Amino acid sequence: MTESVHQLRPKPSDSEKITINLGFVDLGHIDLMVQEGFYSNRTDFIRTAIRNQLERHSEAVKQSTVRKNLDLGLRNYSRQDLEAARRAGEMLEIHVLGLASIALDVTPELARATIASVVVLGALHASPAVKAALADRIR
């Protein structure tokens, strides 16, 4: 008996793809380090370099995160969260360093009625309609 598994909600990605342009000499140096066994591949080298820079500047980043009052990591806003804010007469200030996610069942009208501003350093996942409704509030 074969059972079908249906995914009710797509799992959000824990990363986002970026593209960078490197000079040929820099790329050659990376390839040499991979070939010599320092890194498993180009991506491993680039991730390690980025993490090293983030660690190098971690104290400044921490201070800036506190100063800008940013939530760190993953922050989900469900329809229930926004409906509760509307019942309470509150407007949300979404300030996230990481990933801010607004549930797919949130309507553009509910988003406009409950979200005063959106500042996301990282990625914002929301339906295209909600992003369009909040376009003047996203910085």
Side-chain angles (χ1 to χ4, degrees), residues 13 21 23 25 27 29 36-37 42 44 47 60-61 66 75 77 80-81 84 88 90 93 96 102 105 119 127:
S13 174
N21 295 318
V25 173
L27 191 57
H29 280 108
E36 293 296 317
R42 290 174 175 177
D44 181 35
R47 275 194 204 111
V61 170
V66 170
R75 183 68 168 95
Y77 295 89
Q80 293 79 15
D81 294 335
E90 296 175 353
E93 304 276 344
V96 175
I102 300 172
D105 62 350
V119 176
S127 71

mmCIF file of all heavy atoms in Angstrom, residues 13 21 23 25 27 29 36-37 42 44 47 60-61 66 75 77 80-81 84 88 90 93 96 102 105 119 127:
data_model
loop_
_atom_site.group_PDB
_atom_site.id
_atom_site.type_symbol
_atom_site.label_atom_id
_atom_site.label_comp_id
_atom_site.label_asym_id
_atom_site.label_seq_id
_atom_site.Cartn_x
_atom_site.Cartn_y
_atom_site.Cartn_z
ATOM 1 N N SER A 13 12.713 28.233 3.028
ATOM 2 C CA SER A 13 14.131 27.984 2.874
ATOM 3 C C SER A 13 14.888 28.651 4.024
ATOM 4 O O SER A 13 14.492 29.700 4.515
ATOM 5 C CB SER A 13 14.599 28.581 1.544
ATOM 6 O OG SER A 13 15.984 28.469 1.424
ATOM 7 N N ASN A 21 30.111 38.682 -8.456
ATOM 8 C CA ASN A 21 31.068 38.722 -9.554
ATOM 9 C C ASN A 21 32.461 38.825 -8.960
ATOM 10 O O ASN A 21 32.721 39.695 -8.136
ATOM 11 C CB ASN A 21 30.797 39.923 -10.471
ATOM 12 C CG ASN A 21 29.463 39.801 -11.171
ATOM 13 O OD1 ASN A 21 29.095 38.732 -11.635
ATOM 14 N ND2 ASN A 21 28.737 40.897 -11.235
ATOM 15 N N GLY A 23 36.784 38.663 -9.869
ATOM 16 C CA GLY A 23 37.805 38.707 -10.910
ATOM 17 C C GLY A 23 38.396 37.321 -11.120
ATOM 18 O O GLY A 23 38.327 36.450 -10.248
ATOM 19 N N VAL A 25 41.469 36.326 -11.270
ATOM 20 C CA VAL A 25 42.591 35.986 -10.387
ATOM 21 C C VAL A 25 42.061 35.550 -9.021
ATOM 22 O O VAL A 25 42.518 34.542 -8.462
ATOM 23 C CB VAL A 25 43.582 37.169 -10.268
ATOM 24 C CG1 VAL A 25 44.652 36.878 -9.230
ATOM 25 C CG2 VAL A 25 44.224 37.461 -11.629
ATOM 26 N N LEU A 27 39.125 34.286 -8.389
ATOM 27 C CA LEU A 27 38.491 32.994 -8.601
ATOM 28 C C LEU A 27 39.540 31.889 -8.712
ATOM 29 O O LEU A 27 39.369 30.794 -8.156
ATOM 30 C CB LEU A 27 37.635 33.051 -9.873
ATOM 31 C CG LEU A 27 36.689 31.890 -10.114
ATOM 32 C CD1 LEU A 27 35.723 31.716 -8.943
ATOM 33 C CD2 LEU A 27 35.909 32.127 -11.399
ATOM 34 N N HIS A 29 42.488 31.910 -7.270
ATOM 35 C CA HIS A 29 43.001 31.661 -5.920
ATOM 36 C C HIS A 29 42.057 30.744 -5.145
ATOM 37 O O HIS A 29 42.507 29.837 -4.428
ATOM 38 C CB HIS A 29 43.183 32.983 -5.156
ATOM 39 C CG HIS A 29 44.429 33.711 -5.515
ATOM 40 N ND1 HIS A 29 44.417 34.869 -6.249
ATOM 41 C CD2 HIS A 29 45.732 33.455 -5.245
ATOM 42 C CE1 HIS A 29 45.670 35.292 -6.417
ATOM 43 N NE2 HIS A 29 46.477 34.444 -5.817
ATOM 44 N N GLU A 36 43.844 22.390 -3.271
ATOM 45 C CA GLU A 36 44.819 22.013 -2.243
ATOM 46 C C GLU A 36 44.165 21.441 -0.987
ATOM 47 O O GLU A 36 44.854 21.075 -0.039
ATOM 48 C CB GLU A 36 45.686 23.226 -1.879
ATOM 49 C CG GLU A 36 46.596 23.690 -2.999
ATOM 50 C CD GLU A 36 47.646 22.645 -3.372
ATOM 51 O OE1 GLU A 36 48.234 22.035 -2.458
ATOM 52 O OE2 GLU A 36 47.864 22.438 -4.584
ATOM 53 N N GLY A 37 42.840 21.400 -0.968
ATOM 54 C CA GLY A 37 42.142 20.743 0.137
ATOM 55 C C GLY A 37 41.796 21.635 1.320
ATOM 56 O O GLY A 37 41.343 21.150 2.347
ATOM 57 N N ARG A 42 34.000 25.904 -3.921
ATOM 58 C CA ARG A 42 33.985 27.373 -3.912
ATOM 59 C C ARG A 42 32.994 27.919 -2.893
ATOM 60 O O ARG A 42 33.287 28.887 -2.195
ATOM 61 C CB ARG A 42 33.612 27.911 -5.297
ATOM 62 C CG ARG A 42 34.650 27.718 -6.358
ATOM 63 C CD ARG A 42 34.095 28.159 -7.695
ATOM 64 N NE ARG A 42 35.099 28.114 -8.751
ATOM 65 C CZ ARG A 42 34.833 28.393 -10.008
ATOM 66 N NH1 ARG A 42 33.612 28.735 -10.383
ATOM 67 N NH2 ARG A 42 35.793 28.334 -10.918
ATOM 68 N N ASP A 44 31.955 26.595 -0.119
ATOM 69 C CA ASP A 44 32.501 26.431 1.227
ATOM 70 C C ASP A 44 33.470 27.560 1.549
ATOM 71 O O ASP A 44 33.433 28.148 2.638
ATOM 72 C CB ASP A 44 33.199 25.068 1.327
ATOM 73 C CG ASP A 44 33.778 24.783 2.696
ATOM 74 O OD1 ASP A 44 33.182 25.203 3.705
ATOM 75 O OD2 ASP A 44 34.840 24.110 2.755
ATOM 76 N N ARG A 47 31.343 30.905 1.963
ATOM 77 C CA ARG A 47 30.620 30.906 3.246
ATOM 78 C C ARG A 47 31.571 31.140 4.417
ATOM 79 O O ARG A 47 31.269 31.899 5.331
ATOM 80 C CB ARG A 47 29.895 29.572 3.453
ATOM 81 C CG ARG A 47 28.563 29.500 2.832
ATOM 82 C CD ARG A 47 27.800 28.291 3.393
ATOM 83 N NE ARG A 47 26.803 27.886 2.458
ATOM 84 C CZ ARG A 47 26.811 26.766 1.747
ATOM 85 N NH1 ARG A 47 27.774 25.890 1.911
ATOM 86 N NH2 ARG A 47 25.861 26.497 0.908
ATOM 87 N N ALA A 60 30.285 45.175 16.787
ATOM 88 C CA ALA A 60 29.636 46.329 16.151
ATOM 89 C C ALA A 60 28.238 45.960 15.674
ATOM 90 O O ALA A 60 27.304 46.762 15.794
ATOM 91 C CB ALA A 60 30.482 46.827 14.986
ATOM 92 N N VAL A 61 28.082 44.757 15.132
ATOM 93 C CA VAL A 61 26.768 44.296 14.668
ATOM 94 C C VAL A 61 25.808 44.162 15.849
ATOM 95 O O VAL A 61 24.644 44.572 15.760
ATOM 96 C CB VAL A 61 26.893 42.963 13.888
ATOM 97 C CG1 VAL A 61 25.530 42.352 13.622
ATOM 98 C CG2 VAL A 61 27.640 43.187 12.579
ATOM 99 N N VAL A 66 20.986 46.241 18.648
ATOM 100 C CA VAL A 66 20.304 46.789 19.824
ATOM 101 C C VAL A 66 19.854 48.219 19.572
ATOM 102 O O VAL A 66 18.706 48.585 19.849
ATOM 103 C CB VAL A 66 21.230 46.718 21.065
ATOM 104 C CG1 VAL A 66 20.644 47.489 22.231
ATOM 105 C CG2 VAL A 66 21.480 45.271 21.456
ATOM 106 N N ARG A 75 11.340 35.533 12.251
ATOM 107 C CA ARG A 75 10.135 36.086 12.885
ATOM 108 C C ARG A 75 8.957 35.853 11.961
ATOM 109 O O ARG A 75 8.932 36.323 10.832
ATOM 110 C CB ARG A 75 10.328 37.576 13.156
ATOM 111 C CG ARG A 75 9.182 38.246 13.867
ATOM 112 C CD ARG A 75 9.057 37.742 15.311
ATOM 113 N NE ARG A 75 8.158 38.558 16.069
ATOM 114 C CZ ARG A 75 6.860 38.277 16.247
ATOM 115 N NH1 ARG A 75 6.343 37.189 15.738
ATOM 116 N NH2 ARG A 75 6.105 39.086 16.948
ATOM 117 N N TYR A 77 4.829 36.111 11.231
ATOM 118 C CA TYR A 77 3.620 36.852 11.557
ATOM 119 C C TYR A 77 2.446 36.106 10.936
ATOM 120 O O TYR A 77 2.295 36.070 9.715
ATOM 121 C CB TYR A 77 3.696 38.293 11.017
ATOM 122 C CG TYR A 77 4.794 39.077 11.686
ATOM 123 C CD1 TYR A 77 6.082 39.080 11.174
ATOM 124 C CD2 TYR A 77 4.551 39.783 12.857
ATOM 125 C CE1 TYR A 77 7.096 39.777 11.804
ATOM 126 C CE2 TYR A 77 5.567 40.483 13.493
ATOM 127 C CZ TYR A 77 6.835 40.471 12.960
ATOM 128 O OH TYR A 77 7.847 41.157 13.590
ATOM 129 N N GLN A 80 -3.444 35.079 12.679
ATOM 130 C CA GLN A 80 -3.933 35.235 14.051
ATOM 131 C C GLN A 80 -3.203 36.359 14.779
ATOM 132 O O GLN A 80 -3.822 37.119 15.524
ATOM 133 C CB GLN A 80 -3.795 33.916 14.830
ATOM 134 C CG GLN A 80 -4.678 32.805 14.330
ATOM 135 C CD GLN A 80 -4.144 32.107 13.072
ATOM 136 O OE1 GLN A 80 -2.978 32.255 12.695
ATOM 137 N NE2 GLN A 80 -5.009 31.368 12.395
ATOM 138 N N ASP A 81 -1.888 36.466 14.575
ATOM 139 C CA ASP A 81 -1.110 37.553 15.191
ATOM 140 C C ASP A 81 -1.637 38.913 14.750
ATOM 141 O O ASP A 81 -1.828 39.820 15.564
ATOM 142 C CB ASP A 81 0.372 37.463 14.810
ATOM 143 C CG ASP A 81 1.079 36.243 15.358
ATOM 144 O OD1 ASP A 81 0.642 35.698 16.389
ATOM 145 O OD2 ASP A 81 2.075 35.830 14.728
ATOM 146 N N ALA A 84 -5.149 39.674 16.094
ATOM 147 C CA ALA A 84 -5.064 40.054 17.508
ATOM 148 C C ALA A 84 -4.603 41.513 17.637
ATOM 149 O O ALA A 84 -5.121 42.260 18.472
ATOM 150 C CB ALA A 84 -4.114 39.128 18.255
ATOM 151 N N ALA A 88 -6.739 44.655 19.245
ATOM 152 C CA ALA A 88 -6.146 45.467 20.314
ATOM 153 C C ALA A 88 -5.924 46.912 19.876
ATOM 154 O O ALA A 88 -5.506 47.744 20.682
ATOM 155 C CB ALA A 88 -4.821 44.855 20.764
ATOM 156 N N GLU A 90 -3.639 47.921 17.791
ATOM 157 C CA GLU A 90 -2.193 48.145 17.700
ATOM 158 C C GLU A 90 -1.718 48.091 16.257
ATOM 159 O O GLU A 90 -2.278 47.378 15.432
ATOM 160 C CB GLU A 90 -1.442 47.069 18.491
ATOM 161 C CG GLU A 90 -1.716 47.082 19.967
ATOM 162 C CD GLU A 90 -1.033 45.925 20.687
ATOM 163 O OE1 GLU A 90 -0.452 45.047 20.009
ATOM 164 O OE2 GLU A 90 -1.094 45.902 21.912
ATOM 165 N N GLU A 93 5.324 47.304 14.274
ATOM 166 C CA GLU A 93 6.564 47.790 13.669
ATOM 167 C C GLU A 93 7.430 46.546 13.487
ATOM 168 O O GLU A 93 7.921 45.992 14.464
ATOM 169 C CB GLU A 93 7.270 48.782 14.592
ATOM 170 C CG GLU A 93 6.437 49.972 15.002
ATOM 171 C CD GLU A 93 6.468 51.094 13.977
ATOM 172 O OE1 GLU A 93 7.369 51.077 13.114
ATOM 173 O OE2 GLU A 93 5.587 51.961 14.046
ATOM 174 N N VAL A 96 13.415 43.404 11.628
ATOM 175 C CA VAL A 96 14.030 42.080 11.732
ATOM 176 C C VAL A 96 15.384 42.060 11.039
ATOM 177 O O VAL A 96 15.534 42.605 9.943
ATOM 178 C CB VAL A 96 13.104 41.004 11.108
ATOM 179 C CG1 VAL A 96 13.775 39.642 11.091
ATOM 180 C CG2 VAL A 96 11.780 40.928 11.854
ATOM 181 N N ILE A 102 5.488 36.753 6.596
ATOM 182 C CA ILE A 102 4.073 37.057 6.805
ATOM 183 C C ILE A 102 3.290 35.931 6.148
ATOM 184 O O ILE A 102 3.482 35.648 4.956
ATOM 185 C CB ILE A 102 3.696 38.428 6.209
ATOM 186 C CG1 ILE A 102 4.535 39.535 6.878
ATOM 187 C CG2 ILE A 102 2.209 38.703 6.378
ATOM 188 C CD1 ILE A 102 4.383 40.908 6.248
ATOM 189 N N ASP A 105 -1.885 33.386 4.248
ATOM 190 C CA ASP A 105 -3.330 33.632 4.365
ATOM 191 C C ASP A 105 -3.651 35.041 4.873
ATOM 192 O O ASP A 105 -4.811 35.383 5.078
ATOM 193 C CB ASP A 105 -4.008 32.579 5.237
ATOM 194 C CG ASP A 105 -3.501 32.554 6.675
ATOM 195 O OD1 ASP A 105 -2.484 33.217 6.975
ATOM 196 O OD2 ASP A 105 -4.127 31.861 7.497
ATOM 197 N N VAL A 119 11.016 46.916 8.313
ATOM 198 C CA VAL A 119 12.452 47.061 8.060
ATOM 199 C C VAL A 119 13.042 45.669 8.227
ATOM 200 O O VAL A 119 13.009 45.108 9.321
ATOM 201 C CB VAL A 119 13.121 48.031 9.060
ATOM 202 C CG1 VAL A 119 14.628 48.074 8.839
ATOM 203 C CG2 VAL A 119 12.510 49.415 8.959
ATOM 204 N N SER A 127 3.257 37.222 0.502
ATOM 205 C CA SER A 127 2.660 37.105 -0.827
ATOM 206 C C SER A 127 2.935 38.383 -1.620
ATOM 207 O O SER A 127 3.122 39.459 -1.038
ATOM 208 C CB SER A 127 1.159 36.875 -0.708
ATOM 209 O OG SER A 127 0.522 38.060 -0.266
#
